[in-house]
Amino acid sequence: MARTDDKLNVLILAAGLGTRLRPLTNEIPKPLVRVYDKSILEIQMERAKSLGDVRLHANAHYLAEQIVREGERLGFEKVWVEQPEILGTAGPLRRIYAAGYRGGLLIMNGDAYCNFDLKKFVANARSAYEAGKADGSNRGEVALLAVDFPKVNTFRVGADGCLLGVAGRFGSKEGRAATFSGISWYSDEALARIRDGEFDIREFWKQEIEAGRAPFVDMSQMHATWIDMGSPEGLMAAVDARKQELGREKNEAVVEPGVNVPASARVVHSVLYKGAVISENEVVQDEIRGENFFWQIPPNH
């Protein structure tokens, strides 16, 4: 049965394996790792709610039962469990559309700490969509939010603001370079064209370009905060960014409940997760520590 009210659907991708953060993620999925005060899943949920009355979805695979429980606590419409295999990015989009959800779909990433103006992005996406309808081009039925990250600037964007190609994958080598932020918007018309069994969303973008319906690339927030928190260095950077957002001191220690820090120990610019052991008189600085592991993070990560 189609859900045809005015609510925007939001999908937070949370099915990744978190391999770069093991052993921290051995028993907790990456989207539930705390970033200072909250998990990235909860932070992304709060960002999504800045748009107003939205329908929240997440997908889950690795340690899925934890994501399901957290989704229930946070009031998600549904957590879509992907078993026995992950469905990529295209698969979850197709699944939500096939279940009857309508009203467009905003995609967010469960392993990136970012602080984009989502209202601005959705407004720009819908404007591009309406412009494509008005001129008959049907461009803009998909919108992709870009950032400037030179190490991963694989997008190639044309003068008309539409995607020309992805370096190393398909399309033109010309155009302005940018990085995909992981945030995107899909119209119902675009979602209807994602085929059953399609996994790689980049292949869908390629098909759209070839059909004359190139995705719109929003480059209005190229220098906003965007951090891949999938590595220890990225996790520390995300914690620092969260501290800054909340007006906290950068050198403040982040200590999960249950971790015992002796009065004689000193903890500076470090994150102590469940199971971390701190000795008497120990100095812990620029470090992430948990049960049976620690990562020394260079100060200028």
Side-chain angles (χ1 to χ4, degrees), residues 10-16 30-31 40-41 44 57-60 67 76 82 88-93 96 106-112 180 182-184 201:
V10 179
L11 170 63
I12 301 175
L13 299 173
K30 182 167 55 177
I40 195 68
L41 182 69
Q44 293 290 62
H57 305 256
N59 68 337
I67 302 286
F76 277 57
E82 300 178 8
T89 300
L93 276 61
I96 288 174
L106 177 72
I107 310 300
M108 301 175 70
N109 206 317
D111 61 2
F180 179 44
I183 295 176
S184 52
I201 199 65

Side-chain angles (χ1 to χ4, degrees), residues 5-10 51 53-57 102-106 122 126 185-186:
D5 55 37
D6 293 331
K7 289 185 180 180
L8 174 67
N9 293 286
V10 179
L51 294 166
D53 191 12
V54 297
R55 249 193 228 102
L56 291 164
H57 305 256
R102 300 293 183 269
L105 182 61
L106 177 72
V122 172
R126 287 174 169 161
W185 175 87
Y186 291 79

Side-chain angles (χ1 to χ4, degrees), residues 15-17 59-62 82-89 91-92 199:
L17 301 177
N59 68 337
H61 172 75
Y62 176 64
E82 300 178 8
Q83 296 291 351
E85 60 182 347
I86 300 176
L87 299 179
T89 300
F199 286 77

Side-chain angles (χ1 to χ4, degrees), residues 5-169:
D5 55 37
D6 293 331
K7 289 185 180 180
L8 174 67
N9 293 286
V10 179
L11 170 63
I12 301 175
L13 299 173
L17 301 177
T19 53
R20 291 178 293 162
L21 285 179
R22 291 183 181 172
L24 175 59
T25 51
N26 279 348
E27 297 185 7
I28 182 171
K30 182 167 55 177
L32 298 189
V33 170
R34 286 172 65 88
V35 180
Y36 185 68
D37 60 329
K38 297 176 181 177
S39 72
I40 195 68
L41 182 69
E42 186 169 0
I43 291 170
Q44 293 290 62
M45 177 208 73
E46 291 178 351
R47 306 276 199 244
K49 284 189 171 181
S50 71
L51 294 166
D53 191 12
V54 297
R55 249 193 228 102
L56 291 164
H57 305 256
N59 68 337
H61 172 75
Y62 176 64
L63 301 175
E65 68 283 355
Q66 294 186 40
I67 302 286
V68 171
R69 286 197 301 270
E70 185 67 357
E72 291 173 350
R73 185 184 78 83
L74 296 173
F76 277 57
E77 169 87 2
K78 185 169 182 177
V79 174
W80 302 78
V81 176
E82 300 178 8
Q83 296 291 351
E85 60 182 347
I86 300 176
L87 299 179
T89 300
L93 276 61
R94 174 63 185 168
R95 195 177 183 189
I96 288 174
Y97 182 82
Y101 289 95
R102 300 293 183 269
L105 182 61
L106 177 72
I107 310 300
M108 301 175 70
N109 206 317
D111 61 2
Y113 185 88
C114 48
N115 197 7
F116 296 107
D117 184 339
L118 292 180
K119 286 184 179 180
K120 181 178 180 180
F121 169 63
V122 172
N124 289 346
R126 287 174 169 161
S127 292
Y129 169 77
E130 294 298 336
K133 291 299 179 190
D135 66 17
S137 69
N138 289 329
R139 293 187 175 191
E141 292 186 358
V142 174
L144 311 171
L145 185 59
V147 295
D148 182 28
F149 192 66
K151 290 182 179 179
V152 197
N153 273 348
T154 56
F155 269 16
R156 297 296 179 264
V157 184
D160 62 354
C162 290
L163 186 67
L164 295 174
V166 177
R169 296 282 303 196

Side-chain angles (χ1 to χ4, degrees), residues 136-296:
S137 69
N138 289 329
R139 293 187 175 191
E141 292 186 358
V142 174
L144 311 171
L145 185 59
V147 295
D148 182 28
F149 192 66
K151 290 182 179 179
V152 197
N153 273 348
T154 56
F155 269 16
R156 297 296 179 264
V157 184
D160 62 354
C162 290
L163 186 67
L164 295 174
V166 177
R169 296 282 303 196
F170 65 85
S172 174
K173 296 180 180 179
E174 305 300 322
R176 186 175 174 188
T179 292
F180 179 44
S181 70
I183 295 176
S184 52
W185 175 87
Y186 291 79
S187 67
D188 290 337
E189 294 95 326
L191 293 169
R193 292 192 293 270
I194 298 176
R195 299 183 296 238
D196 287 332
E198 193 153 31
F199 286 77
D200 191 336
I201 199 65
R202 292 169 296 187
E203 286 302 307
F204 178 68
W205 299 342
K206 179 183 177 181
Q207 294 163 24
E208 292 293 281
I209 292 171
E210 291 173 345
R213 297 184 297 263
F216 163 67
V217 181
D218 185 348
M219 304 179 77
S220 66
Q221 303 184 58
M222 291 283 279
H223 301 292
T225 299
W226 179 79
I227 300 166
D228 174 6
M229 54 162 278
S231 66
E233 293 79 12
L235 177 56
M236 184 69 92
V239 170
D240 287 345
R242 183 66 174 171
K243 288 180 193 174
Q244 183 176 20
E245 183 180 343
L246 298 175
R248 310 298 296 188
E249 292 294 327
K250 181 176 180 178
N251 285 334
E252 179 183 347
V254 180
V255 182
E256 277 201 328
V259 176
N260 179 48
V261 180
S264 61
R266 183 167 173 258
V267 183
V268 180
H269 189 238
S270 296
V271 184
L272 305 180
Y273 287 109
K274 180 182 176 181
V277 176
I278 311 299
S279 303
E280 295 283 350
N281 301 309
E282 186 176 7
V283 176
V284 180
Q285 186 165 357
D286 301 320
E287 186 180 304
I288 298 175
R289 185 179 298 195
E291 187 171 6
N292 299 319
F293 79 91
F294 73 91
W295 295 314
Q296 195 71 45

